[in-house]
Amino acid sequence: MSIHHHLDDATIMAYAAGTLREALCVAVAAHVAICPRCRAAVRAAEAAGGALLEEIDAVSLDADALDRAMARIETPAAARPAMPEPAPRPRDPRVPAPLARLIGGGLDEVRWRWLAPGVRSYEIPVTPGAGSLRLLRIAPGKAVPEHGHGGTELTLILSGSYSDVTGHYGPGDVADLDEDVEHAPVVDSPEDCICLVATESPTRFKGLIGRLLQPYFRI
Ligand SMILES: [Zn+2]
């Protein structure tokens, strides 16, 4: 996988500092799990945060904390030795581990909900008030829904691709764009483009759905 679009420094810092909302954390963790560059950046940010804490409070943070946390994420079964082993199922290579646990399988098993012609959606439950997280599946040639404005929003491509004025986004790429950026992404892969979209505010997605449905229902 060759990744060309990465997380912003500000997003990395917020993630390392633990100030990102849950929905955004999932998208960051999913990208970090497959992107060595952003993983190193998170590690550096955590080390910098640890050094800062050390100065202020004489508290020492273990620089391996992320490695150990990631190891726990990768091996959840080890934490539950008493549970019966589930039947081995090949993991969908398109779904990073932190996301696979939340959707409970591969992309082919997702129970998609029709949103508009060529656009299907699956909402991933998060803690109420912790943002909005959903998968979007968009047919070739369709415009990727314009997302809300204001607040942070992350789009991680899992399958297929799209292009806009900021470039071409394929599997593993993350769009971590300024809220001011005007872009009109269009799916340019022969297959559906499936992406994970995390937003800070759940209400903004009502706006998205409204905008998606508007041309068809004039709501
Ligand atoms: Zn990255």
Side-chain angles (χ1 to χ4, degrees):
M1 183 182 297
S2 113
I3 298 175
H4 301 285
H5 298 276
H6 298 273
L7 296 160
D8 272 358
D9 288 346
T11 304
I12 297 270
M13 294 298 284
Y15 179 72
T19 58
L20 272 190
R21 289 195 177 179
E22 183 184 335
L24 297 167
C25 277
V26 172
V28 170
H31 176 77
V32 162
I34 54 174
C35 178
R37 174 173 148 176
C38 288
R39 195 155 57 237
V42 167
R43 201 170 284 142
E46 290 194 330
L52 195 63
L53 278 179
E54 219 165 55
E55 266 177 39
I56 297 167
D57 294 332
V59 170
S60 170
L61 282 192
D62 188 344
D64 295 334
L66 178 68
D67 284 340
R68 283 188 279 107
M70 293 302 290
R72 280 203 302 277
I73 289 169
E74 296 294 338
T75 56
R80 294 180 272 107
M83 295 284 283
E85 278 294 313
R89 188 169 54 171
R91 200 166 73 76
D92 189 332
R94 300 169 295 178
V95 183
L99 180 61
R101 288 181 302 125
L102 287 179
I103 64 175
L107 296 178
D108 295 332
E109 289 119 57
V110 170
R111 283 194 246 148
W112 297 102
R113 188 173 149 260
W114 188 91
L115 203 59
V119 184
R120 281 174 286 172
S121 151
Y122 174 72
E123 189 171 348
I124 301 169
V126 292
T127 308
S132 162
L133 189 64
R134 77 174 58 208
L135 295 171
L136 286 180
R137 179 171 192 149
I138 303 134
K142 287 279 175 188
V144 177
E146 278 277 359
H147 306 144
H149 295 276
T152 307
E153 181 171 277
L154 298 172
T155 303
L156 174 67
I157 315 304
L158 303 175
S159 179
S161 63
Y162 72 72
S163 288
D164 67 11
V165 290
T166 66
H168 178 77
Y169 291 78
D173 284 330
V174 65
D176 186 354
L177 301 174
D178 274 353
E179 54 193 75
D180 299 332
V181 171
E182 288 288 331
H183 63 123
V186 173
V187 173
D188 59 1
S189 50
E191 74 276 21
D192 289 352
C193 178
I194 301 176
C195 50
L196 174 70
V197 183
T199 59
E200 212 162 19
S201 153
T203 56
R204 294 193 308 120
F205 241 103
K206 287 180 185 162
L208 159 66
I209 291 165
R211 206 177 317 185
L212 270 172
L213 299 181
Q214 194 177 28
Y216 307 100
F217 297 105
R218 301 184 182 281
I219 55 175

